Amino acid sequence: MSLLDYFKISKASSAVLAKERLQILVAHERSSRNQPSYLPQLQKELLEVVRKYINVGQDAISVNFEQDDEQETLELNIVLPDIHAKNS
Amino acid sequence: MARIIVVTSGKGGVGKTTTSAAIAMGLAKKGHKTAVIDFDVGLRNLDLIMGCERRVVYDFINVINGEATLNQALIRDKNCNQLYILPASQTRDKDALSQEGVGKILEDLAKDFKYIVCDSPAGIEKGAHLAMYYADDAFVVTNPEVSSVRDSDRMLGILSSKSRRAEQNQEPIKEYLLLTRYSPERVKLGEMLSVDDVQEILSLHLLGVIPESKSVLNASNSGLPVILDEKSDAGQAYIDIVARYLGEDRPHRFIDDKKGFFGKLFNRSK
């Protein structure tokens, strides 16, 4: 460390980078932490039921759980296969 | 009514045992009868930090298994007669600790002690889980470093969902942040997360900042909790922390870089 280093304070700070990365990561981990533990099992079983009737892929079903102060929302999204593409 | 404090972090090597030893000694020196328990089964080290490693006869597991009484296993500290240490077992059997066993010991200790400090092992395995399960207060020891902050956040999630207080819908565990190995000079240079950064991410009540200090290694070398080194910065930081925990209002120290320009020039070589 030389005297010169003392004046080089304004270089891009790694602490700022650390904080940004942590804020994103922690927010993501907190949202998945609050999800009910039955969610993956629910998703799996729903997929089995839907597949009895419709030929959908593994990623065709997404189950999202959201929570705010007032209510909990379970969002179920099933993407059906494109019929027109199949028939033509 | 005894108060059970867990000293936890998730990540290893951040200063849990140093902190457990220091705050247990600090509480005892304030006149409160205090027990400090090592939950790190298989890798006990609290005895070494407290300087009582040659006086261990019975341990935590012996008491759980009924092979010794609590009074036989508790070691009275040589510096403070209000402080007792319950060492961990060196057994390799991970299942030696049981929730009922730990609960029974804490219940017995609570009859006689004012504060019970639980020194958690690193990780989120059984030992760490049992150390925090019965806690009333949690001291979350964090370094201003990404992996430590992330692990602390993870521990906060576990504290709020897997503890007895959470399971029985009681008032939640009171959580406090202890930021250790802090270097104000590096924060000023933008090389280290600041105390404000860490607080913003974790949203925890700050109990105190312990500066990076040579006195911590000196203290562990000699088997004396660093809080007894009252001249050292780290010792004073722990004294402040104990006082704040007990309700005293003390301004935070060791956060700002106090050294002036010339102080820096002459300190560069260290």
Side-chain angles (χ1 to χ4, degrees):
Chain A
M1 280 285 210
S2 70
L3 183 57
L4 269 178
D5 289 273
Y6 186 69
F7 297 101
K8 285 202 302 188
I9 291 170
S10 59
K11 69 180 172 201
S13 135
S14 63
V16 170
L17 197 61
K19 188 182 178 186
E20 285 170 4
R21 292 173 61 214
L22 271 171
Q23 279 174 323
I24 295 165
L25 181 71
V26 164
H28 177 75
E29 289 185 341
R30 278 184 194 160
S31 68
S32 56
R33 184 191 299 159
N34 292 331
Q35 289 188 342
S37 54
Y38 58 73
L39 221 54
Q41 186 64 25
L42 177 70
Q43 182 157 0
K44 190 169 158 268
E45 286 178 24
L46 279 170
L47 186 68
E48 281 165 18
V49 173
V50 173
R51 277 181 141 184
K52 273 193 196 167
Y53 305 96
I54 313 165
N55 185 22
V56 293
Q58 287 282 349
D59 330 319
I61 295 182
S62 64
V63 182
N64 276 314
F65 182 83
E66 271 170 40
Q67 195 174 28
D68 58 36
D69 295 338
E70 288 180 0
Q71 56 182 1
E72 296 173 344
T73 321
L74 188 64
E75 179 194 87
L76 177 64
N77 194 10
I78 306 172
V79 183
L80 295 177
D82 193 341
I83 302 167
H84 299 292
K86 233 180 199 174
N87 291 345
S88 60
Chain B
M1 196 54 192
R3 202 80 193 156
I4 301 174
I5 303 168
V6 60
V7 179
T8 185
S9 71
K11 190 176 182 299
V14 296
K16 281 182 298 297
T17 301
T18 299
T19 297
S20 300
I23 58 159
M25 178 63 80
L27 289 166
K29 284 195 70 174
K30 288 264 189 184
H32 304 293
K33 196 170 181 191
T34 303
V36 56
I37 308 177
D38 191 347
F39 275 78
D40 204 344
V41 171
L43 290 168
R44 78 163 166 239
N45 275 317
L46 180 70
D47 53 337
L48 209 47
I49 300 301
M50 302 287 306
C52 65
E53 70 277 9
R54 293 173 61 177
R55 292 160 62 207
V56 175
V57 182
Y58 296 109
D59 59 52
F60 200 3
I61 306 291
N62 291 139
V63 182
I64 288 181
N65 293 342
E67 295 150 8
T69 65
L70 201 46
N71 283 331
Q72 284 176 309
L74 284 169
I75 303 168
R76 182 189 278 217
D77 187 83
K78 57 185 185 292
N79 295 296
C80 183
N81 61 13
Q82 294 284 78
L83 178 59
Y84 290 79
I85 299 122
L86 184 57
S89 164
Q90 285 291 52
T91 173
R92 279 183 284 171
D93 178 11
K94 291 240 171 195
D95 295 323
L97 283 180
S98 66
Q99 187 158 302
E100 304 72 46
V102 172
K104 176 75 172 57
I105 288 187
L106 291 175
E107 202 179 294
D108 287 350
L109 284 171
K111 291 173 193 152
D112 202 21
F113 287 85
K114 183 78 201 298
Y115 291 102
I116 302 166
V117 178
C118 301
D119 181 20
S120 172
I124 49 173
E125 298 292 313
K126 196 170 189 183
H129 176 256
L130 288 176
M132 63 93 194
Y133 185 75
Y134 295 98
D136 301 305
D137 300 311
F139 287 10
V140 180
V141 182
T142 308
N143 288 172
E145 181 271 328
V146 286
S147 53
S148 175
V149 175
R150 179 201 211 169
D151 288 0
S152 291
D153 191 65
R154 186 91 204 275
M155 286 315 299
L156 292 174
I158 295 173
L159 285 167
S160 63
S161 61
K162 302 272 166 64
S163 62
R164 178 173 62 168
R165 280 175 175 268
E167 286 179 2
Q168 298 182 355
N169 279 321
Q170 294 172 2
E171 196 186 323
I173 294 176
K174 282 208 182 83
E175 300 156 343
Y176 301 93
L177 173 65
L178 273 77
L179 198 59
T180 56
R181 305 200 70 166
Y182 195 70
S183 170
E185 297 100 48
R186 301 200 72 185
V187 171
K188 201 174 175 188
L189 288 168
E191 296 175 352
M192 183 180 270
L193 289 165
S194 72
V195 57
D196 291 339
D197 292 340
V198 178
Q199 260 191 289
E200 197 183 320
I201 294 163
L202 296 178
S203 342
L204 272 183
H205 177 75
L206 178 71
L207 202 53
V209 172
I210 295 97
E212 174 77 57
S213 170
K214 290 176 179 174
S215 56
V216 173
L217 183 59
N218 282 331
S220 83
N221 285 342
S222 39
L224 290 167
V226 70
I227 199 167
L228 295 174
D229 186 357
E230 291 174 14
K231 291 202 177 78
S232 72
D233 45 3
Q236 289 174 19
Y238 278 117
I239 290 171
D240 283 359
I241 281 171
V242 170
R244 279 189 207 108
Y245 175 69
L246 293 174
E248 264 182 64
D249 189 18
R250 291 200 182 186
H252 284 283
R253 297 192 277 169
F254 315 108
I255 292 178
D256 297 318
D257 188 8
K258 287 270 165 52
K259 278 192 214 97
F261 180 72
F262 287 102
K264 274 209 159 117
L265 280 183
F266 294 117
N267 255 303
R268 276 283 131 118
S269 54
K270 78 173 179 187

